[in-house]
Amino acid sequence: MSDPWRKPRKWNIPLTYEPKIAGVRDGTIRQTIRVGRKFSPGDLVSFHGWSGRPYRSQWSFRTPYAALKDVIPITIYPGGIEAPREFRPWCLLDEIARLDGIEPPTGEALCRVLSEMHKIPADGIEAQILRW
């Protein structure tokens, strides 16, 4: 449960997964998965791209801020994702992949994308599904 006295934080989040960028910019994709546990409902997020090499070039675009509506804690494992009260193997995560703008929108493709971006240890990595 969020603290009603907590001031929302503002976050500028980079986007590097090319198939997702257009959908986030036009508002058709309103979900992302981020490693760590730093976001809270009500926080404001803005997304940006890079004009060249990530973290070594200027931003190519920036979206307006949007308030996070849902922040779902998950743990990513080599075999799937554990959300509160349930573990789902990658083959049952097609809807999460679709909402996240993964191409093709399958759990197996989501696994590939997340594995390319992060080393996923056998004991899992904490993350959050962010929806705005």
Side-chain angles (χ1 to χ4, degrees):
M1 178 173 262
S2 64
D3 178 357
W5 301 103
R6 181 184 168 279
K7 182 178 177 184
R9 294 182 68 182
K10 284 187 172 182
W11 301 95
N12 292 303
I13 303 173
L15 287 177
T16 57
Y17 181 63
E18 191 64 38
K20 182 178 196 160
I21 292 172
V24 170
R25 292 183 75 182
D26 71 17
T28 58
I29 295 174
R30 302 182 63 78
Q31 173 184 289
T32 190
I33 297 173
R34 296 292 155 155
V35 168
R37 297 275 172 95
K38 63 185 181 180
F39 299 97
S40 296
D43 282 357
L44 302 172
V45 294
S46 172
F47 296 92
H48 68 85
W50 301 103
S51 61
R53 189 170 168 201
Y55 301 97
R56 305 237 190 297
S57 62
Q58 295 181 340
W59 292 356
S60 58
F61 70 88
R62 181 173 157 192
T63 66
Y65 282 103
L68 291 177
K69 294 179 181 174
D70 295 316
V71 177
I72 304 163
I74 61 172
T75 304
I76 303 168
Y77 293 100
I81 291 178
E82 183 176 30
R85 299 175 302 279
E86 84 173 302
F87 176 83
R88 295 172 95 185
W90 294 112
C91 64
L92 297 179
L93 293 168
D94 293 358
E95 180 64 7
I96 297 295
R98 185 188 68 75
L99 291 172
D100 213 66
I102 302 300
E103 290 295 330
T106 66
E108 289 83 2
L110 176 62
C111 174
R112 180 184 45 77
V113 169
L114 292 174
S115 296
E116 288 172 359
M117 293 182 174
H118 307 283
K119 180 174 172 40
I120 302 174
D123 60 346
I125 185 169
E126 289 187 337
Q128 294 173 303
I129 297 174
L130 307 178
R131 293 183 179 148
W132 59 95

